Structure formats: structure tokens, C-alpha cells
Amino acid sequence: MKRILVTGGSGFLGSHLCQRLHAQGHYIICLDNNYTGSEKNITPLIGKKNFEFINHDVTQPIDVKCDEIYNLACPASPVHYQTKPIFTIETSYMGAKNMLDLAVKNKAKILQASTSEVYGDPEVHPQKESYWGHVNPIGPRACYDEGKRIAETLFVNYQKAYDLEIKIMRIFNTYGPNMHPQDGRVVSNFIVQALAGKNITIYGDGKQTRSFCYVDDNINGMIALMNSPKDITGPINIGNPHEFTMLELAEIVLKMTNSKSKIIFEALPVDDPMQRKPDISLAKTHLNWEPKIPLKDGLVKTTEYFKSIL
Ligand code: NAD
Ligand code: UDP
């Protein structure tokens, strides 16, 4: 049994990770300040043996005994990370630094939840890990993009300085149950709007693309990366390479929910990436990982979840 610290553990991905690792028989310390997460997501674990929740902000140091750290704490939806940009920068940088210091102290292995946003609005398609990206350092997304980029830099330098075992995972758009209904990201927005019979809000002309990964596939990839040999440090892309336009996504959601909602077009947010699709060759080779759940199947499960909570 390992003692595993999951920061951002009451959020969307963190709550799935805590449940999976707990079911594998580990002791789970779930740390979160509930900024975008909620203890409702970890209700099945509260009060269980080998599980504890710590309400803490990762921008502040903490001393916890652990063998592994999954550093997921950070608002991930553009709406939420842009509401408090300085908090997002501090969470990305100070959070990573505090968790790296803790990993050094405990000689723990540490995984960073990085993002496809490090590629910015990419000029290379699909995106390989070797691509350095195209990020506007002073735009509205920079608090998140640059925060995640400096966190990667911090990770590789801690590895060199302290011979720390690090893992950098570049996560592409992931969706599923436990997303907050007001999260603001596209999959939850479209499903919640379709179920309520409200207008489906497409930003821009809807021709921009994303590639959506179901949460169970993501968690498989995350745990496989953490358990990979020491020389596999990443960065490594984890995502589903099947690419869709936002118009296609809206049409799939409307058909699946049998909704009478109308599609409306709103302004495209500044610096919104026009295309995104992971090259997952490295994950296939090093982790023997690839996503298994097609978009339509994942959307059915996600819709069932939203029906159950709304
Ligand atoms: P989420 O917003 O649901 O979860 C983030 C969690 O971090 C929340 O529970 C929030 O309360 C917590 N948090 C934020 N700031 C904190 C702080 N200062 N101290 C303590 N806790 C804090 O988002 P998610 O989709 O579950 O994302 C989890 C991680 O994965 C994030 O680091 C995100 O950048 C990364 N990621 C996610 C996606 C995706 O598509 N879901 C894509 C790329 C990267
Ligand atoms: N988007 C949209 N309608 C919405 C929410 C988002 O058309 O209600 C678009 C957004 O402009 C972007 C894509 O969907 O082009 C994915 O947005 P999301 O916020 O989910 O994640 P991103 O990949 O941009 O971080």
C-alpha cells in the first residue's frame, strides 16, 4: 500500500483518480481548496478507511508523508482560470514548487498535470511533444498556458538538481462525469444546455477543432505514466486523437439528447486555439496506452451523469 497525495483531488479528474487509486488499495490523501472542485465529487470516499481530505491551498507549503504525488491542483476551464489570473499563475508556479519541495523531502515520485495549452494556438498539427508551441505571453490565456509551461520547466530542473523521479503529462481535452455543470468547458456546456432546452452556444463559426478524451481513458494513462520506468519522464501527450469541430460536437449532443435547443453563435474568445489533436505515438510506445472509449459512448455516460444531478 502506497501513501498517495492527489492535489486537486475534489475536482473533475482528481476525484476519478482518488477513487481509482483507493480501489487499488492505496492510502489516499486528497488535497484541495475547493475553488472549482467540490466535496460532492468525493462523497463515496468520505469516511472510508485509507482516505483523508485536507482543505488546503497549494500556494502554501504543507508537510505530508507520501510516496507519490499527483499534482492536479489548478483551475482548468478558461472561464475559471481567467476569473482570477494571478491566483492561476500562483497556483501553477507556487503549487508546483511546494509539491516538488515536498517530493524532495519524502523522496517521492511526482506527476504534473500539464496541458495541451502549452502548445498554444498550434501551427503544427497534430501536436507532438517535440513542438515548442505558439503561446501569446500577454493574452488572456497566458495565466494558465505560461503557468503550466513554467511548471514543466521547474519539474525538469528539480529532476536535474535533486535526481527526483518526475512525470510530465500533457493532457488534451478530457470530459466525463463529475464535471461541474457550470464548469464552462464545451462538453459540459453543450450537454447542460441541450438537457435544459436552452440555446447551444458556439463561439466563433464552430469550425475550430478539439479532440475529446473520456475520463476513464485519461486516468488509465495517468496511472500508467506514474508507474512507468524512471527514465520515462515525459512530457507525454495523453488524449484521444479523434478530432471534431465544435459544430460537429453540437450536432452529436443535440441528436443524442433528442433536444429541441437551437444553435447560436457568439464571439470567439481571444486567442482561442483553432485546432488541436494529440500525436500519441510516445504514449503508445512507452506506456502501451491508447484511448478506448469513442466520443459517442463517453457522451452517453456524461449525459446520464448530468441528468442525475440536474
Ligand atoms: P477542475 O477545475 O475540475 O479541478 C481542479 C481542482 O484543483 C479543483 O478541485 C480545484 O478546486 C483545485 N484547485 C485549484 N486551485 C487550487 C489551489 N490553489 N489549491 C488547492 N486546490 C486547487 O479541473 P480538471 O479538469 O479536473 O483538471 C485537473 C488538472 O488537469 C488541472 O491541473 C488541469 O490543468 C489539468 N488538465 C485538465 C484537462 C481537462 O481537459 N480536464 C486538460 C488539460 C489539463
Ligand atoms: N466553446 C464553445 N461553446 C462553449 C464553450 C466553449 O463553442 O459554450 C469552444 C471554445 O471557444 C473552444 C472549444 O469550444 O474553441 C473548447 O473550449 P473549452 O473551454 O472546452 O476548452 P479549451 O480547449 O479551449 O481550453
Side-chain angles (χ1 to χ4, degrees), residues 1-5 26-27 29 64-70 102-103 106-111 164-165 226:
M1 185 205 276
K2 287 184 270 198
R3 282 179 65 87
I4 304 180
L5 174 63
H26 300 297
Y27 188 99
I29 305 138
V64 175
K65 275 208 166 60
C66 53
D67 306 303
E68 287 180 357
I69 303 172
Y70 288 83
L102 187 63
N106 282 280
K107 295 190 172 50
K109 218 187 322 182
I110 180 165
L111 179 145
L164 197 61
E165 193 165 351
M226 182 61 109

Side-chain angles (χ1 to χ4, degrees), residues 4 32 72 78 83 110 114 127 143 155-156 159 254 266 295:
I4 304 180
D32 206 296
L72 274 60
T83 304
I110 180 165
S114 191
Q127 293 79 51
C143 56
F155 264 67
V156 295
Q159 183 211 16
L254 280 173
E266 295 188 349
L295 181 64

Side-chain angles (χ1 to χ4, degrees), residues 78 141 173 185-186 189 201 203 208 210 246 272 276:
R141 300 176 83 96
N173 298 64
R185 281 175 278 185
V186 70
N189 269 11
T201 53
Y203 304 157
Q208 71 272 37
R210 294 293 186 275
M246 294 313 99
D272 200 288
R276 185 181 289 155

Side-chain angles (χ1 to χ4, degrees), residues 27-291:
Y27 188 99
I28 307 304
I29 305 138
C30 169
L31 183 154
D32 206 296
N33 68 350
N34 290 332
Y35 174 58
T36 51
S38 161
E39 281 178 56
K40 278 189 206 151
N41 285 337
I42 46 163
T43 307
L45 291 172
I46 288 180
K48 281 213 171 146
K49 212 176 134 203
N50 301 335
F51 179 81
E52 67 180 284
F53 176 74
I54 304 177
N55 192 325
H56 180 83
D57 192 312
V58 288
T59 60
Q60 303 303 316
I62 190 165
D63 193 6
V64 175
K65 275 208 166 60
C66 53
D67 306 303
E68 287 180 357
I69 303 172
Y70 288 83
N71 187 36
L72 274 60
C74 186
S77 160
V79 178
H80 295 291
Y81 68 64
Q82 290 175 30
T83 304
K84 287 190 181 180
I86 296 172
F87 165 77
T88 302
I89 298 165
E90 285 174 350
T91 295
S92 300
Y93 177 71
M94 291 305 299
K97 184 164 187 336
N98 286 328
M99 291 310 122
L100 284 162
D101 286 335
L102 187 63
V104 171
K105 187 170 180 188
N106 282 280
K107 295 190 172 50
K109 218 187 322 182
I110 180 165
L111 179 145
Q112 167 68 358
S114 191
T115 169
S116 52
E117 280 285 322
V118 301
Y119 303 121
D121 186 7
E123 294 156 310
V124 169
H125 196 70
Q127 293 79 51
K128 276 185 197 292
E129 292 83 348
S130 53
Y131 177 49
W132 290 354
H134 180 223
V135 173
N136 173 3
I138 55 166
R141 300 176 83 96
C143 56
Y144 182 74
D145 300 9
E146 299 290 16
K148 291 287 187 177
R149 285 166 68 97
I150 193 69
E152 287 195 7
T153 313
L154 206 53
F155 264 67
V156 295
N157 283 288
Y158 262 70
Q159 183 211 16
K160 284 186 201 131
Y162 300 101
D163 191 31
L164 197 61
E165 193 165 351
I166 64 154
K167 309 284 178 187
I168 299 173
M169 172 183 186
R170 289 190 180 151
I171 303 171
F172 283 65
N173 298 64
T174 303
Y175 68 97
N178 292 5
M179 290 188 93
H180 195 283
Q182 270 81 50
D183 179 90
R185 281 175 278 185
V186 70
V187 174
S188 47
N189 269 11
F190 284 2
I191 295 176
V192 170
Q193 290 163 344
L195 291 178
K198 292 192 175 152
N199 291 335
I200 305 282
T201 53
I202 288 190
Y203 304 157
D205 61 9
K207 290 186 185 142
Q208 71 272 37
T209 68
R210 294 293 186 275
S211 308
F212 299 103
C213 185
Y214 187 66
V215 60
D216 291 355
D217 282 330
N218 172 287
I219 299 299
N220 289 341
M222 198 180 307
I223 295 174
L225 177 57
M226 182 61 109
N227 293 336
S228 63
K230 187 172 179 182
D231 62 323
I232 308 297
T233 59
I236 200 153
N237 291 338
I238 296 289
N240 189 319
H242 203 143
E243 188 181 10
F244 294 86
T245 66
M246 294 313 99
L247 260 176
E248 284 169 332
L249 176 70
E251 276 153 16
I252 295 168
V253 169
L254 280 173
K255 199 166 163 203
M256 195 192 66
T257 52
N258 208 12
S259 169
K260 302 264 179 299
S261 292
K262 304 247 168 315
I263 290 179
I264 59 162
F265 293 89
E266 295 188 349
L268 186 70
V270 174
D271 294 341
D272 200 288
M274 285 298 103
Q275 53 180 1
R276 185 181 289 155
K277 167 182 164 138
D279 179 317
I280 58 165
S281 319
L282 279 185
K284 281 184 180 163
T285 308
H286 295 306
L287 308 178
N288 193 23
W289 176 89
E290 62 183 313

